[in-house]
Amino acid sequence: MAVNGLPILLRTAGLTVILKGEGEAADAKRRLLERSGATVVSDAADARIAVVAIEDEGEARAAIDALKARGVLVNAVDRPADCDFTLPAIVDRSPVLVAVSTGGVSAGLAAAIRQRLEAVLPPNLGRLAEALGAARGPLRARFPDGGDRRRAIGAAVAPGGALDPLVPHGAGAVADWLAGAAMVAGQVVTIHLRSTDPDDLTLREARWLGQADRLHAAPATPPAILARARADAVRLDGPPADPPPPGLTVVIA
């Protein structure tokens, strides 16, 4: 099943954004845009994105059509069919941002999911991200190969790992982990499908697919199952190598 859009992060600091409309919906969008660093105006020739928060159908239609005719990407409040982009519910643990989108069909559901995530993610999660960013040089020195580096970080941030993001960490957690970090050994796991429905995968199987470096799957494997694997996992034919190369090899049987 195709996703309803491609999630991206748009850097809005200093960006001019058009906001059309007045009232509570427009005020909420203005606060969100200004908090992201955008400059909010009623119109500007150089603006490339706009938010239309107009209740009257005729006025909204005219504004949306005029903006799109200029090549401006539009978010139309309560009109998902007219949206070129949507504004998700956000969990802010800067520089970590978690966005929850329903494609514009249910802002209430997105908000409810955001509130659940707020309760799960530690307040200092952003500091963990900053520490990993600051350690980029030492990480490259310890793991020159990009794949080895990704796998080492993946193991550290996995559930129960040394840097599990759902567990609060002290200021020196990244340095302590890096001092003893080792290359992740090769591992082969096999998933025996019980149906064509990806929801029938166990949590462990879904996690394997999400972490896979290499994927061995028969041509008849359902696309919905393959869609759960890492997009950059290497797809291979035939049996897995013996011994396996570093990282996780997933066989779908």
Side-chain angles (χ1 to χ4, degrees), residues 132-151:
L132 282 168
R136 190 169 297 162
L139 271 167
R140 286 182 178 276
R142 190 171 188 86
F143 302 103
D145 179 77
D148 292 338
R149 190 163 57 249
R150 176 184 57 76
R151 286 186 286 271

Side-chain angles (χ1 to χ4, degrees), residues 135-181:
R136 190 169 297 162
L139 271 167
R140 286 182 178 276
R142 190 171 188 86
F143 302 103
D145 179 77
D148 292 338
R149 190 163 57 249
R150 176 184 57 76
R151 286 186 286 271
I153 296 173
V157 299
L163 301 177
D164 186 338
L166 299 190
V167 177
H169 296 284
V174 171
D176 292 342
W177 161 72
L178 188 55

